[in-house]
Structures are given as structure tokens and as C-alpha cells.
Amino acid sequence: MNITVDTNIVLRVLVQDDQKQAQAAAKLLKEAEIIAVCLPCLCELVWVLRNGYRYSRADTSLAVRTLLGARNVRVNQAAVQAGLNMLDAGGDFADGVIAFEGAWLGGETFVSFDKKAVSLLNSQDLSAKLLG
């Protein structure tokens, strides 16, 4: 079976906070031929791990990288790497994904009110501009 997972499926396996759901999710993920993990799912996952479960940046990055290492997981590798680059640099995973996808769609410059995001993107030689 080829599946697209919701964030809560991946989260249960990672945090093991509900044994019944964690076991059901792990079984599903093991049996799936392909697991499609969409970018919004990963953005939600990172947000919940960081803000809900208080994972460190390093632990969150490791969790995402572990997920990506599964033989049957399919993601937009380049976009996820852009998110991980931002997370590892001290920024938000979602900002890296947004900047990457925006460039892919034809946007030349990431524009934000977020000083930290703009600074981190510029430090990665990406075009970013602070508005305001």
C-alpha cells in the first residue's frame, strides 16, 4: 500500500506518548510500500516537536533526518534540506521550506518582517529582504 501520512501518524511513532496509537502507526509505516510525507506535514511536525514537546533543535533535526532515512519515505528532498539548513542554523524549519518553494515557484527574493529569518537566509547566500 502507498500512503500519505498525516502529522499525527509520524508524531505518535516518534514520541511514543500513546502506546496503542504508536503501535498502530509503526505497523502501518513498516508495511507501507511508499510513505509520502508532504511539506506541510513536516512543518507541522517540527513545530509540534519544538513547541509542544520542547525538543531541542538538534533533537528535532535528528528526528526529521531519521524519518528521511527510512527506505520507504518519499519527500521533496531539496525543500526538506532547505528547512533543515534553517533549523540547524538556529531558525525556523518552515521559513527554509517557504523560501525554497518560493524560489522554485519563481520568487526571486524571500520577503518577511522576521529579522532572524532574513538574516539567516542572507547568511546562506539566499536573497531575502526585511520589510518594514
Side-chain angles (χ1 to χ4, degrees):
M1 174 171 40
N2 298 338
I3 61 172
T4 300
V5 291
D6 189 11
T7 309
N8 54 34
I9 301 296
V10 178
L11 194 60
R12 290 293 82 76
V13 172
L14 288 174
V15 300
Q16 299 284 313
D17 59 349
D18 180 310
Q19 284 305 306
K20 186 176 179 182
Q21 287 184 356
Q23 288 173 352
K27 183 178 187 296
L28 173 73
L29 297 180
K30 230 177 238 183
E31 293 173 353
E33 188 172 329
I34 292 175
I35 303 166
V37 184
C38 300
L39 292 173
C41 174
L42 288 173
C43 289
E44 282 185 346
L45 177 67
V46 168
W47 191 91
V48 171
L49 289 176
R50 294 277 298 133
N51 296 290
Y53 290 89
R54 303 289 185 218
Y55 273 39
S56 68
R57 288 182 190 283
D59 287 343
T60 302
S61 182
L62 178 61
V64 172
R65 291 176 197 284
T66 299
L67 175 65
L68 299 180
R71 63 163 176 75
N72 52 352
V73 168
R74 303 294 183 272
V75 298
N76 179 334
Q77 289 283 347
V80 173
Q81 189 56 54
L84 287 170
N85 289 347
M86 280 292 282
L87 182 64
D88 293 342
D92 292 330
F93 178 87
D95 288 334
V97 170
I98 291 166
F100 177 87
E101 189 167 12
W104 180 79
L105 290 168
E108 295 176 353
T109 303
F110 176 89
V111 181
S112 178
F113 292 112
D114 185 336
K115 291 177 187 176
K116 186 175 184 179
V118 169
S119 176
L120 288 171
L121 287 166
N122 284 330
S123 74
Q124 295 175 37
D125 293 325
L126 300 170
S127 179
K129 178 181 176 182
L130 184 64
L131 187 61

